[in-house]
Amino acid sequence: MEINFENKIKNKAIKLGYENCGIIQINEMKDYSQKLTERINKFPEIKPYTEEFYSFSNLENDYPWAKSVIVCTRIYGKYKIPNHLDGLIGKYYLVDSRIDTNSKDYQDSISFENYLNKLGLKTATNRKFGVTALRWAAHKAGLGIIRKNNFFYSASGSWVYLEAWIIDQDLTLKENINLKNCPTNCNLCIKACPTNSLLEPYVMNRNTCISCLTTWGGWDLPNEKYNSSIGKWIYGCDICQDICPFNKNTWSEENSFPNLEKLSISISLEKIIEMDYNFLRDIISTKFWYISKYDVWRWKTNSLNAMLNTYNPTYDKYIDIACHDEDIRVQKMAIWVKDQLSIRNN
């Protein structure tokens, strides 16, 4: 029996290393706008940063030829994480393949899109941020569920990349993954969130999430309300995922991510303070691209904030070095940290 078109696509995705693949009609994204409105009404302050996502509900406006959305999951909870970076940088960002052309995940993504084109499909995607609301699309395709911490979970936990392609043919392929819902009385992720960004089940304030405060936000850490709650994190956060029972024993560490071990040797709070700005711009910002090459001073202010939050006397040397940094914003942060330590000791 000949395999139908949809299953050909899925089989190719699986062959290329994806965990799963589904296809939905673009009109199934319409109700995402309602969810987005509910979130903005809950947190009006996020509107300037999120209202652009209404376009995800009306894909035909930007892609008049669009008919369906192919969405795939790919496990990233299989890579070895350097011990000293766990709790410092979010694991997703350490093994981020979205623009890493050296990674097999990226190369397989390109191969999959080429395959779709060879089938005669017109495609559009956005590897950096997604061409539509990825979690919502994956949920609609039956590839998993969204849990109370707002993360998408497949059978492999929340440690999965999501990718999507808009295509110009009417296709449908839905899975039926049988995952247990979060227990009604479980609020571990909510209690664990240091900034109360997870205000209630399925509700997260993007502006107060540590992942945002260490990348998109947190520009003025001395006056940031949650600066002490950020703890040791300098880029991203894993707290609500690490504590989730449905993530227990789901990370395997069976593979090495390209160049991660080598790069990790250069990264610590102390080494970032001493780090050359050319290295920050040319190496660090190309790997961790949420902080652009024009804003790499933020690596040093984030590290100073982490030193204050997890202080030990060995940091004094590096705080002093930062007081003479070439960037005035780092100098001011270091002086503020010294003042805070002085206040704490008196």
Side-chain angles (χ1 to χ4, degrees), residues 206-207 211-221 224 298 302:
R206 161 251 191 241
N207 283 19
S211 284
C212 181
L213 292 174
T214 54
T215 53
W216 309 117
W219 294 95
D220 182 14
L221 284 172
E224 168 56 51
R298 291 209 53 209
N302 285 352

Side-chain angles (χ1 to χ4, degrees), residues 304 319 322-323 330-340:
L304 286 164
I319 297 169
C323 286
V330 177
Q331 293 178 28
K332 289 180 177 179
M333 180 70 184
I335 292 169
W336 176 78
V337 169
K338 290 192 76 170
D339 288 343
Q340 296 303 301

Side-chain angles (χ1 to χ4, degrees), residues 47-115:
K47 184 176 181 180
Y49 309 102
T50 55
E51 60 183 346
E52 64 179 289
F53 299 139
Y54 279 111
S55 63
F56 288 166
S57 292
N58 300 287
L59 295 171
E60 67 278 7
N61 291 344
D62 293 324
Y63 308 95
W65 46 267
K67 301 294 184 183
S68 310
V69 178
I70 297 173
V71 59
C72 295
T73 59
R74 190 179 188 100
I75 301 168
Y76 71 86
K78 60 184 178 181
Y79 291 111
K80 297 174 184 176
I81 301 298
N83 289 335
H84 71 286
L85 295 185
D86 195 7
L88 201 71
I89 297 175
K91 291 187 279 291
Y92 176 82
Y93 306 111
L94 289 170
V95 297
D96 187 353
S97 68
R98 285 173 289 177
I99 63 171
D100 191 335
T101 57
N102 293 313
S103 72
K104 184 177 185 300
D105 297 349
Y106 178 90
Q107 294 164 7
D108 287 343
S109 176
I110 297 296
S111 296
F112 184 61
E113 186 169 1
N114 288 339
Y115 175 77

Side-chain angles (χ1 to χ4, degrees), residues 15-289:
K15 185 177 180 180
L16 285 170
Y18 288 97
E19 176 194 41
N20 212 338
C21 174
I23 310 174
I24 63 171
Q25 301 284 294
I26 61 166
N27 60 15
E28 294 184 72
M29 294 302 300
K30 294 291 185 184
D31 52 0
Y32 174 72
S33 63
Q34 178 184 345
K35 294 296 181 182
L36 188 56
T37 297
E38 290 173 0
R39 185 63 58 89
I40 291 173
N41 288 342
K42 189 83 173 179
F43 307 110
E45 65 272 23
I46 73 171
K47 184 176 181 180
Y49 309 102
T50 55
E51 60 183 346
E52 64 179 289
F53 299 139
Y54 279 111
S55 63
F56 288 166
S57 292
N58 300 287
L59 295 171
E60 67 278 7
N61 291 344
D62 293 324
Y63 308 95
W65 46 267
K67 301 294 184 183
S68 310
V69 178
I70 297 173
V71 59
C72 295
T73 59
R74 190 179 188 100
I75 301 168
Y76 71 86
K78 60 184 178 181
Y79 291 111
K80 297 174 184 176
I81 301 298
N83 289 335
H84 71 286
L85 295 185
D86 195 7
L88 201 71
I89 297 175
K91 291 187 279 291
Y92 176 82
Y93 306 111
L94 289 170
V95 297
D96 187 353
S97 68
R98 285 173 289 177
I99 63 171
D100 191 335
T101 57
N102 293 313
S103 72
K104 184 177 185 300
D105 297 349
Y106 178 90
Q107 294 164 7
D108 287 343
S109 176
I110 297 296
S111 296
F112 184 61
E113 186 169 1
N114 288 339
Y115 175 77
L116 297 176
N117 296 151
K118 287 178 181 178
L119 289 178
L121 296 171
K122 184 175 183 179
T123 59
T125 192
N126 182 327
R127 282 189 175 79
K128 275 192 169 184
F129 301 113
V131 72
T132 190
L134 298 177
R135 299 178 194 186
W136 195 245
H139 172 66
K140 290 282 187 174
L143 303 182
I145 62 175
I146 299 171
R147 296 202 179 278
K148 289 181 180 180
N149 61 7
N150 283 264
F151 280 92
F152 179 85
Y153 283 66
S154 73
S156 304
S158 65
W159 315 116
V160 289
Y161 294 124
L162 298 176
E163 291 186 73
W165 290 263
I166 296 171
I167 59 172
D168 63 343
Q169 285 195 31
D170 281 313
L171 301 176
T172 301
L173 179 64
K174 295 192 176 183
E175 297 296 308
N176 186 23
I177 293 181
N178 186 21
L179 296 178
K180 291 182 179 179
N181 290 321
C182 294
T184 304
N185 62 349
C186 183
N187 63 350
L188 290 175
C189 58
I190 296 168
K191 288 195 301 182
C193 180
T195 61
N196 296 315
S197 176
L198 277 174
L199 189 64
E200 58 190 66
Y202 311 104
V203 176
M204 187 271 286
N205 183 346
R206 161 251 191 241
N207 283 19
T208 57
C209 175
I210 290 176
S211 284
C212 181
L213 292 174
T214 54
T215 53
W216 309 117
W219 294 95
D220 182 14
L221 284 172
N223 294 305
E224 168 56 51
K225 177 181 178 181
Y226 295 105
N227 51 23
S228 62
S229 300
I230 293 172
K232 197 176 180 179
W233 295 101
I234 59 172
Y235 191 97
C237 177
D238 289 325
I239 291 173
C240 68
Q241 295 181 87
D242 282 340
I243 201 166
C244 177
F246 290 99
N247 271 336
K248 186 177 182 180
N249 300 323
T250 57
W251 197 290
S252 64
E253 292 206 340
E254 61 192 41
N255 298 108
S256 296
F257 193 84
N259 302 317
L260 177 58
E261 189 65 36
K262 179 181 178 180
L263 178 62
S264 74
I265 297 170
S266 301
I267 302 175
S268 70
L269 299 182
E270 298 90 340
K271 288 178 179 178
I272 289 171
I273 296 300
E274 293 187 302
M275 197 169 284
D276 179 79
Y277 274 90
N278 287 328
F279 189 84
L280 281 166
R281 284 188 287 265
D282 298 340
I283 305 299
I284 298 298
S285 72
T286 57
K287 170 67 176 177
F288 307 106
W289 43 273

